[in-house]
Every structure is written in C-alpha cells, then in structure tokens.
Amino acid sequence: MTEGVPQQEREAAVEPAAGGGRGRSSEATRAAILRAARVRFAADGYDRATIRAIAADARIDPSMVMRYYGSKEGLFAAAAEFDLRLPDLSDVPTDRLGEALVSYFFTRWEGDATLPALLRTASTNPSGAERVRAIFATQLGTAVARMIADPTEAPRRAGLVASQLLGVALTRYVLRLPPMVDISPAELIAWLSPTIQRYLRAPIPG
Amino acid sequence: MTEGVPQQEREAAVEPAAGGGRGRSSEATRAAILRAARVRFAADGYDRATIRAIAADARIDPSMVMRYYGSKEGLFAAAAEFDLRLPDLSDVPTDRLGEALVSYFFTRWEGDATLPALLRTASTNPSGAERVRAIFATQLGTAVARMIADPTEAPRRAGLVASQLLGVALTRYVLRLPPMVDISPAELIAWLSPTIQRYLRAPIPG
DNA sequence: ACCGTATGCCAACGAGTGTTGACTTGCCAG
DNA sequence: CTGGCAAGTCAACACTCGTTGGCATACGGT
C-alpha cells in the first residue's frame, strides 16, 4: 500500500521497430528502461525505487539495467539528466520578468514529473542534492545574472527565487498540501509573480 | 560514504540516575532512543535511518527499540512529534505580521533540526507527508485564520506562506544551496518579510 | 534468603536489496 | 549451412533490513 505507481498497465505502447541498421533494438530497451526509471524515481524517490520494479515496468530483466547503465547510481544519473530549458527573456520588459519566469516554470512543470523526482531524491540522497545545487547554480544562476545590473548579486537573488519556486514545487507536487494543490495555476501565478519580481529586481534591503 | 552522522562520539553524556522511584532507568533509555532517533531521522530521512544505527547511537540493542516503540513507524511517530509552537501574534500591528512570523520561524529553526528531518522524511514517506499536511493545516492554518478578516481565505493564504517558508527550509537546510546557506538570517528576514506580509494581508489578486 | 519482574543482550529468521555470472535465444555475415 | 555475437533470461550470491523469541542479569519486596 506504499506503492507510488500501479502495477498494471506497464509500458503500454512500445516503438514497433526503431529505425537503425544493425542490431535489433538495443536502443529501444535502453529508452524503455530510462522511461520507467524516470517514472519510478519520480514517484518513489531514489531509495524506494528499486531496480527490480523499474525492470518490471520496462518488461525486461533487472540484469539488463546493470548491463546498460552499470549501477543504480548510473541509472539515476542518466534519468535525472535535467535541463530547466530556461527561455531567453532578454526581450521581456524588466518590470514583467517575475511574471514571465513564474509562468514559464508552470508550463514546464505541470506536465513533467522530473522536478518532483529530483526533489524527492535530493532530500535523502547526497548526490541528488549535489545535482540540484549544480542545476540551480549554473542554469538559474546564469539566467538571473542576465536579468540584473550587478552580476555579483546574481547568486543571492537566484537563491531567493529558487527558495520560492522550489517551495511551490515541494508543497504542490511532493507534499501535496491541499490548498496548494487545489489552487489554479493562473491564481498561483498572480500571487507569485510579484514575489519573484522583487527578488529579481528590488534593491537589496537593509 | 553515505553516512549522515559520524560513527564516533555517540551519546556522550547520559543522565547519571534519573529521578523516579522504582524501575532502574527505563525512562532514560526511552529518552536516549528518542534522542538518537531524532538525530538520525534528521540526517538521513526515514528510509536511510536504520533502527540498528539508531540503537548503536543510543548504545543499546536494536530489540530495545522494538520493545519501547513497537516498530520503526512507531518510533518515527514519536520522534516526529512536532509542535510549531506558534506564538500569539494578536498584539502585533497588522502591517508587521509578516516580519513577526518570519523572525519567529527563524529563531525556531536555526537551533532545531526537526523540521529538516520532517521534510526529508515527508519527501519519500507517505505517512511523513501526511504528518506535514496535518501540522500545517491545523497549526499554521488556524494561526493564519486569526490574522485575517475573512477566515475562508485562511487555507489558501496559509498554503502560500508555507510554500515560501518551507522553500527556505528546503533550500537552506536540506539541499544546502550555497547562496541560501551563506546569507545571514537578518538579511533573509528582510527579504522574506514583505513576501509573507503580502500572502497574509494583500487583497486576492485577479 | 528467596522470587517475581523489569531490563537488556544475543542469535536468528524471513524478506528484499543490488549485483554477478553462466546459460539460452535469435539474428546476420561468411 | 554454420559460426559468431549481441540481446535477453535465469538463478544465485552476499548483504542489510525490521522484527522476534529466548536467555542472562540485577533490582525490590517479603
């Protein structure tokens, strides 16, 4: 009763015959494993997501996971390849950067369970936490740096932005606090935009 | 190399002889177990914190944990007994409620590792998540209800407040994003107070 | 002195984990 | 047709986990 994913209906549709020339379909199984791994890691986190369960979802033997990805850590590393895909916001008026960033993050997350997976894992797994640190330092940090005048303020402002956005992801997708689940994305965007806007552009308080 | 707590120096000082009348010191061991459990759960989360490790920290046999707390779930339930201890803010001017709440949460968290433990656990353990939901629905929800005019808005506003405050706890104490770790509590309070103030008191946007 | 009882330890069980190696199957080149 | 090779299966190993029951020990009351 602690399962995150129903046991039935695993890997419904598979590619009939992947393109390539030689070698039957090793790339297809590789992809199937990765897909199943993403779902399981997302639902259960690193520790509770077992290789056996992932293999069962992908309808292959657990040993194939080892053959293709070396170890559970290796599989997770491949599954958690994560690109925020932050768009270019250079033509957004500076007083609407907050709204643009919040709106984008929502369109990105509502259909992709990778971020909750990352949060779930990073909470208990040191290498998962390191990965989140790297993602936000490089991707969000550099994006924020382009939005502000003094680049030395970028890390601090990016940290504040992350604290609010990850807080929403945590309460809405992971903890599932009812008020945060029930609220509509539009209303949430309206509430959050001024916050992010201030973290990005307001003068440093003191 | 995945250990959260160094193996040495476990349970340094123990009460020489707890007060009571009969029965040597069962209450002392009970407390020692609970203390060690809090540390381990805080550092490692529910899954990675093993009963054997907790028992070793408390310098007793794993079976004693079962005797006193029935099961690992029971131990966690006892260890995660969590009271936000929100103070009475009824005499705070309404335009400084945000600052008061943020300041309080900081004095509460900086010396107490229970909240990170709860977050770490709730991320992967369903009953842990349920506990967080209950805590914030009852404790924070009712506190917020007393701060606003229309009580029907309380859950939504409390959810928003939780998203920011838990986001800070997550990024500062669990993920340890460098910018959020390095920033001083005073500066963090200055940044966060307007956010919380708005979530508490601003008219609903639309 | 004795005994009941609470306190604690020890060894073990059963289940589940990641991981490994040897075996079987089916395809394509020669 | 035949040999080689990649894809996949199977059973098992070594380990750790939560949990259990039996056994030792030392206290307090009588």
Side-chain angles (χ1 to χ4, degrees):
Chain A
M1 290 299 170
T2 335
E3 292 307 316
V5 172
Q7 300 285 21
Q8 319 301 19
E9 283 299 335
R10 40 175 81 141
E11 211 39 54
V14 193
E15 285 86 322
R22 62 112 184 281
R24 233 189 1 157
S25 67
S26 87
E27 210 57 31
T29 23
R30 238 190 131 80
I33 293 174
L34 203 60
R35 220 174 317 147
R38 288 215 168 93
V39 174
R40 279 287 176 183
F41 282 134
D44 303 340
Y46 186 84
D47 288 308
R48 295 176 110 87
T50 71
I51 286 200
R52 285 171 152 92
I54 291 169
D57 289 358
R59 300 185 142 290
I60 46 95
D61 192 88
S63 61
M64 300 307 302
V65 176
M66 310 306 296
R67 195 192 280 284
Y68 283 124
Y69 293 96
S71 69
K72 188 180 183 181
E73 281 266 359
L75 175 61
F76 175 73
E81 209 67 45
F82 191 68
D83 190 353
L84 293 177
R85 293 207 296 268
L86 291 171
D88 182 25
L89 297 178
S90 60
D91 55 349
V92 173
T94 58
D95 62 337
R96 307 199 61 170
L97 281 172
E99 182 189 341
L101 197 55
V102 172
S103 302
Y104 172 74
F105 262 75
F106 262 89
T107 63
R108 178 87 174 78
W109 290 347
E110 287 284 325
D112 186 351
T114 312
L115 183 67
L118 215 51
L119 286 186
R120 246 184 269 264
T121 304
S123 300
T124 51
N125 186 279
S127 81
E130 178 53 41
R131 186 165 289 255
V132 172
R133 278 192 291 269
I135 288 170
F136 277 82
T138 64
Q139 302 190 34
L140 185 60
T142 60
V144 168
R146 280 197 295 271
M147 302 180 190
I148 64 181
D150 182 355
T152 64
E153 299 174 357
R156 185 153 304 187
R157 292 182 185 272
L160 289 162
V161 169
S163 81
Q164 175 64 92
L165 294 180
L166 291 185
V168 172
L170 177 75
T171 52
R172 183 174 170 94
Y173 304 122
V174 178
L175 300 182
R176 307 195 70 78
L177 298 188
M180 291 298 287
V181 173
D182 297 339
I183 194 171
S184 76
E187 188 175 351
L188 210 34
I189 289 172
W191 276 108
L192 298 176
S193 293
T195 299
I196 304 302
Q197 179 70 30
R198 192 162 53 79
Y199 292 164
L200 285 174
R201 301 286 306 181
I204 292 183
Chain B
M1 290 299 170
T2 335
E3 291 307 316
V5 172
Q7 300 285 20
Q8 318 301 21
E9 282 299 335
R10 41 175 81 140
E11 217 31 61
V14 194
E15 285 86 322
R22 61 112 180 283
R24 230 186 7 148
S25 65
S26 88
E27 209 57 32
T29 359
R30 242 190 126 80
I33 293 173
L34 203 60
R35 219 174 317 147
R38 288 214 167 93
V39 174
R40 279 286 177 184
F41 281 134
D44 302 340
Y46 185 85
D47 288 309
R48 294 175 111 87
T50 70
I51 287 201
R52 285 173 153 92
I54 292 169
D57 288 357
R59 299 183 143 289
I60 45 95
D61 192 87
S63 62
M64 302 306 302
V65 176
M66 311 305 297
R67 195 192 281 280
Y68 283 124
Y69 293 96
S71 70
K72 188 181 183 181
E73 281 267 1
L75 174 62
F76 175 73
E81 208 68 47
F82 191 68
D83 191 351
L84 293 177
R85 295 206 297 268
L86 291 171
D88 183 24
L89 297 178
S90 59
D91 54 351
V92 173
T94 58
D95 62 336
R96 308 202 58 171
L97 281 172
E99 182 189 340
L101 196 55
V102 173
S103 302
Y104 172 75
F105 262 75
F106 261 88
T107 61
R108 179 87 174 78
W109 289 348
E110 287 284 325
D112 186 351
T114 312
L115 182 66
L118 214 51
L119 285 187
R120 245 183 268 264
T121 303
S123 300
T124 51
N125 186 277
S127 80
E130 177 53 40
R131 184 166 291 254
V132 172
R133 279 193 289 270
I135 287 170
F136 277 82
T138 64
Q139 301 189 36
L140 185 61
T142 60
V144 168
R146 281 197 295 270
M147 301 180 190
I148 63 182
D150 182 354
T152 65
E153 299 174 358
R156 183 152 307 186
R157 293 181 184 273
L160 288 163
V161 169
S163 81
Q164 175 63 93
L165 294 180
L166 291 185
V168 172
L170 177 74
T171 51
R172 184 174 169 96
Y173 304 122
V174 177
L175 301 181
R176 308 196 69 79
L177 298 188
M180 291 299 288
V181 173
D182 297 338
I183 195 172
S184 75
E187 188 176 350
L188 211 33
I189 290 172
W191 276 107
L192 298 175
S193 294
T195 298
I196 303 302
Q197 178 71 29
R198 193 163 51 80
Y199 292 163
L200 286 174
R201 303 284 306 181
I204 291 182

